[in-house]
Amino acid sequence: MIVVNISRDRTEGAYSVEIHGHAGYAPQGQDIVCAAVSALALALHGWLAAHPEICLWASRDRDGSARFLFRRTTASRAAYEVVSSGLSSIAAEYPDHVRLDWEIQH
């Protein structure tokens, strides 16, 4: 199962997205659920690479894990909304393969 942790810290002004695990929907290389989550992670990674003033930390590991920490700005809010909405939709469509955990810190 892919586990996604998304948090928004109101006091620190940062967004965090962490992705771990494998969907197990289909064999490796044929798994559409993993591909969908990976596409969103790659898109966010690319967007943050193009905006280093916003990116606090971005990492993609060989095992498929990804971790992102970035400043809350007007520009980054759109990226956060698209990625979190996409991940939420995937988790709703494939609940046995993707779990989404939300945390809003005050």
Side-chain angles (χ1 to χ4, degrees), residues 21-105:
H22 294 282
Y25 180 79
Q28 186 175 357
Q30 300 174 2
D31 196 321
I32 62 170
V33 178
C34 272
V37 171
S38 294
L40 288 169
L42 286 167
L44 181 58
H45 192 265
W47 189 86
L48 288 171
H51 296 86
E53 73 283 1
I54 293 172
C55 182
L56 297 171
W57 197 70
S59 169
R60 287 182 24 240
D61 299 330
R62 288 183 168 263
D63 68 356
S65 297
R67 294 173 199 86
F68 307 100
L69 180 65
F70 51 104
R71 288 183 174 82
R72 289 180 64 197
T73 67
T74 303
S76 70
R77 180 173 183 188
Y80 170 83
E81 293 292 335
V82 167
V83 169
S84 62
S85 176
L87 291 168
S88 181
S89 294
I90 296 166
E93 188 73 22
Y94 299 96
D96 293 337
H97 303 281
V98 180
R99 185 180 84 219
L100 184 57
D101 297 328
W102 294 89
E103 181 179 349
I104 298 177
Q105 302 169 357

